[in-house]
Amino acid sequence: MQVFRGITHFERFCRNQNFCSFLTIGNFDGVHRGHLKLIKEVTTLAESYKQHNPKVILKTIILTFEPHPKEFFDIANAPTRLSTLHEKLRLLANTNVDYVVVCPFTADFAKISANDFVQKILCDIFNVKKVFIGDDFRFGAKRQGDFKFLQEIGKKQNFEVFSMQTFFEHKPENSQNLNERISSSLIRKALWDGDLQRANNLLGRIYSIDGQVRSGQQLGRKLGFATANLFVRHNPVPMQGVFAVEIKISGRFFKKFKKNTQNLVEKNQNQTQKRYFGVANLGMRPTINDKQKMRSILEVHIFDFNQNIYGEHIEVLFHKKLRNEQKFNSLEELQQQINIDCQKARDFFNQSQI
């Protein structure tokens, strides 16, 4: 999978190249089961098209945005992100798409009319043959464009438009909601409620946060529980509390965009990746910090581990919520509670046989 930071950089890349595309557009926050179903539909149809049109060079493309459009228009009321850009790209790398184009959502981009978006971007740059969108997708200045608008232009410009119906999860017959819409909003609610089993089922994977290990105050070490501290780019965080976690240490995943184009391949079987277990605190650390506006931090105590991993890139997978954050009267009380948390986490992993 090849990643392009900006439509203009993709345009330069494909200049003088004669290919057409199957394109899907969206934010893909969390890359959940509904997203993966849509992407699978795109790649499956693309393979079929290639078999019937062997002389045509066809590419599958995801067009996504950074920041999320809702963050651009109203950051105070924007939904909490399930995944940062880097996390999203890591997850998308496990699909079979050829290109991901990350479009900076700026004031100038927001002013582009729906008609210009279709003609100047979808047709002139991406040379689309089929466009796949979610059933609630809107685009263009003042959200002028929708499925019907896109379909009408597609007939004139010789491309097809598919509105992918919302993916529903079929639940057991004794459930109150037999069919439940899989959405980023529903996953956010499950995470915030501490229902990790529900969230992970909707995602189709264990929810995780990844990042680079940074030096901290060394307080955990003084308490007998050394921690790996991650600066959390999610702001605000999708959940808070103390969790039983799995940790994967695999070095740097890929460097930050120093170039406008980045080849990105995530194949776990080709990486030396070590798994560990532990307990993590995600939040404001109320016993230590009194500052109300301080950003959340992710502190991870890795069981039976004594290595220097500063600067390493790790992924923290959240299996079970143990408790909410709370403020203790002393560091001794905090130390006692951490002992209890660690034992609960060990018991959980021993019983679940993960």
Side-chain angles (χ1 to χ4, degrees):
M1 186 181 88
Q2 197 163 0
V3 180
F4 295 84
R5 187 65 181 260
I7 293 175
T8 55
H9 300 297
F10 179 78
E11 183 180 18
R12 291 176 193 148
F13 165 80
C14 62
R15 189 173 296 161
N16 301 322
Q17 297 190 46
N18 185 25
F19 65 77
C20 56
S21 71
F22 281 13
L23 176 81
T24 181
I25 313 170
N27 294 303
F28 298 98
D29 186 29
V31 192
H32 56 62
R33 287 167 56 198
H35 296 144
L36 294 175
K37 184 175 185 292
L38 187 155
I39 295 170
K40 180 65 175 178
E41 187 77 10
V42 175
T43 55
T44 299
L45 289 176
E47 287 303 316
S48 177
Y49 187 90
K50 290 176 184 178
Q51 290 177 7
H52 291 89
N53 302 272
K55 294 183 179 180
V56 175
I57 301 174
L58 178 69
K59 300 295 183 180
T60 52
I61 303 174
I62 291 175
L63 175 62
T64 189
F65 308 99
E66 181 65 26
H68 190 296
K70 290 183 179 179
E71 291 180 5
F72 174 81
F73 288 111
D74 187 9
I75 191 169
N77 296 307
T80 300
R81 284 202 192 193
L82 296 175
S83 53
T84 63
L85 175 60
H86 282 196
E87 288 168 344
K88 178 165 64 175
L89 292 176
R90 174 173 57 80
L91 293 165
L92 290 175
N94 288 317
T95 66
N96 292 320
V97 295
D98 296 308
Y99 307 129
V100 172
V101 180
V102 182
C103 176
F105 201 92
T106 63
D108 289 338
F109 182 81
K111 294 176 183 177
I112 297 176
S113 69
N115 190 72
D116 282 349
F117 177 81
V118 175
Q119 183 60 57
K120 297 181 180 180
I121 296 178
L122 298 189
C123 294
D124 294 350
I125 297 176
F126 291 107
N127 191 22
V128 293
K129 290 297 180 186
K130 298 183 189 295
V131 179
F132 302 78
I133 57 175
D135 50 12
D136 58 352
F137 179 70
R138 307 280 299 202
F139 64 97
K142 299 181 180 179
R143 295 168 57 85
Q144 298 167 333
D146 57 10
F147 172 74
K148 184 178 179 180
F149 177 89
L150 193 58
Q151 194 174 45
E152 290 176 354
I153 295 184
K155 292 176 181 178
K156 299 176 183 178
Q157 297 292 343
N158 195 30
F159 66 82
E160 293 183 276
V161 184
F162 296 85
S163 177
M164 303 301 293
Q165 297 301 310
T166 299
F167 183 37
F168 286 87
E169 179 191 23
H170 298 284
K171 302 181 74 177
E173 292 184 0
N174 60 354
S175 173
Q176 293 182 351
N177 298 312
L178 294 182
N179 294 315
E180 192 162 30
R181 182 179 187 269
I182 293 183
S183 67
S184 298
S185 297
L186 187 61
I187 295 168
R188 291 186 191 100
K189 183 179 186 307
L191 288 174
W192 191 253
D193 291 345
D195 191 352
L196 282 174
Q197 182 177 358
R198 182 82 186 107
N200 293 340
N201 182 56
L202 293 167
L203 285 165
R205 59 183 173 85
I206 305 299
Y207 180 72
S208 66
I209 293 177
D210 64 36
Q212 189 177 38
V213 178
R214 302 188 176 189
S215 59
Q217 299 175 336
Q218 306 293 321
L219 181 60
R221 188 176 299 277
K222 295 176 182 178
L223 294 174
F225 301 95
T227 59
N229 300 322
L230 275 69
F231 174 78
V232 181
R233 295 186 180 276
H234 302 258
N235 188 29
V237 290
M239 59 184 181
Q240 290 187 337
V242 179
F243 303 87
V245 297
E246 177 184 352
I247 303 97
K248 294 182 180 179
I249 304 174
S250 56
R252 287 292 291 172
F253 172 58
F254 64 96
K255 294 181 180 180
K256 191 175 181 180
F257 283 108
K258 293 184 178 180
K259 297 180 179 179
N260 296 316
T261 306
Q262 184 79 39
N263 285 318
L264 180 58
V265 178
E266 167 76 350
K267 298 294 183 183
N268 291 337
Q269 62 268 30
N270 294 332
Q271 293 186 8
T272 301
Q273 191 173 65
K274 297 181 179 180
R275 297 174 63 204
Y276 299 92
F277 299 96
V279 64
N281 185 92
L282 176 60
M284 306 298 291
R285 304 188 303 172
T287 304
I288 311 301
N289 299 311
D290 292 326
K291 297 180 180 179
Q292 296 296 319
K293 295 184 179 181
M294 186 173 180
R295 287 185 64 125
S296 296
I297 190 171
L298 176 58
E299 294 180 302
V300 187
H301 172 64
I302 307 174
F303 297 149
D304 309 314
F305 185 83
N306 187 26
Q307 297 179 33
N308 184 348
I309 55 173
Y310 289 128
E312 293 288 337
H313 193 91
I314 70 173
E315 181 184 6
V316 181
L317 294 86
F318 296 84
H319 284 271
K320 181 179 176 60
K321 183 171 183 178
L322 301 176
R323 62 176 176 86
N324 292 325
E325 270 199 309
Q326 63 187 97
K327 186 172 183 176
F328 296 93
N329 294 322
S330 66
L331 292 180
E332 288 75 17
E333 286 187 13
L334 173 59
Q335 186 180 42
Q336 292 173 7
Q337 184 60 53
I338 295 175
N339 265 313
I340 295 172
D341 297 335
C342 288
Q343 189 57 55
K344 287 183 177 179
R346 288 182 184 273
D347 291 342
F348 168 77
F349 287 119
N350 288 333
Q351 294 170 8
S352 58
Q353 298 181 344
I354 294 174

